[in-house]
Amino acid sequence: MSSTPIALIQTGLRDLGHDPGPVDGLFGTMTADAAAAWLAAGGKAAGAAIRPQTTAMIWQGSARHPVREVIVHCTATRPDWMAGRPLAEKRAEVRRWHMQERGWMDIGYHWLIDRDGKIAAGRPETVIGAHVEGHNSGTIGISLIGGADSAASDPFSRHFTPAQDISLRQLLQGIGMRTQITTISGHNDYAAKACPGFSVSQWLKEA
């Protein structure tokens, strides 16, 4: 049976770069190995990990903006996009889109969730993202890999996996513990777009 405390431990291990596998609340072999690696490292982060910078405030120049909202997106890629490639390579490709094709300073999202539920940090949470025009200050952007040919009214399960569902809920829970978010929305709540390919408000009711 899954356990919320174990899921929170898994989230912490993952954020420190010690891969516990899916954040599913089950203390399996990968979680045990990740915990052992964390202990062996003296409670420190894994040296090669892409680690988030977490805070309840994000900065733009000298101005500070309290984090109040998380906005969910999708990459609008097909289910087999870069199949079998590491998440780090997929992150690099999305970053390339944003920097080379759009001229942004970095990847626009703060987090990416792959088809298997693995999570990669994008732009640090301490830095304002580039994910919704006019709504970047005080928000954190999460993007699910997938969502090609989706519609704003589609159910989550039509374009995304159960592993992504679990990881998104766990990631939102973790963000909520270190910030004071009051709203969780989708890109399509602010623009005439399908993104993220489902109704976030409806999806939240299905928990």
Side-chain angles (χ1 to χ4, degrees):
M1 182 179 295
S2 65
S3 162
T4 296
I6 291 176
L8 292 175
I9 291 171
Q10 290 172 322
T11 299
L13 289 169
R14 182 200 60 212
D15 288 353
L16 288 170
H18 301 287
D19 184 12
V23 179
D24 55 9
L26 301 174
F27 198 85
T29 302
M30 289 189 69
T31 301
D33 289 346
W38 173 74
L39 288 171
K44 297 180 180 180
I50 301 174
R51 298 186 297 275
Q53 297 179 29
T54 57
T55 180
M57 309 289 286
I58 53 180
W59 290 80
Q60 184 175 48
S62 60
R64 294 190 300 172
H65 303 267
V67 175
R68 293 286 185 260
E69 182 176 6
V70 174
I71 303 177
V72 183
H73 301 260
C74 71
T75 58
T77 50
R78 305 195 69 81
D80 60 353
W81 176 71
M82 293 186 71
R85 306 306 302 166
L87 178 53
E89 291 186 14
K90 297 176 185 180
R91 175 188 178 275
E93 180 63 7
V94 174
R95 186 170 187 264
R96 185 189 67 78
W97 295 345
H98 290 177
M99 295 183 69
Q100 295 185 16
E101 299 178 15
R102 300 189 182 185
W104 296 348
M105 59 176 286
D106 197 354
I107 187 172
Y109 309 124
H110 294 96
W111 297 98
L112 283 173
I113 303 178
D114 205 351
R115 307 290 295 175
D116 60 2
K118 290 183 179 178
I119 299 173
R123 189 176 295 205
E125 286 186 357
T126 48
V127 179
I128 289 179
H131 53 101
V132 179
E133 185 175 2
H135 297 277
N136 289 310
S137 299
T139 66
I140 288 175
I142 300 173
S143 188
L144 297 156
I145 291 180
D149 302 322
S150 62
S153 59
D154 286 346
F156 181 97
S157 59
R158 184 170 298 174
H159 303 286
F160 304 102
T161 68
Q164 287 178 301
D165 186 297
I166 292 170
S167 292
L168 178 56
R169 293 184 191 278
Q170 294 290 349
L171 183 55
L172 290 170
Q173 182 182 48
I175 293 171
M177 293 177 67
R178 58 181 178 265
T179 68
Q180 296 180 12
I181 57 173
T182 59
T183 305
I184 300 171
S185 57
H187 193 179
N188 50 28
D189 289 314
Y190 294 107
K193 296 177 177 288
C195 179
F198 61 98
S199 168
V200 171
S201 60
Q202 182 60 41
W203 172 76
L204 288 169
K205 294 176 184 177
E206 297 168 359

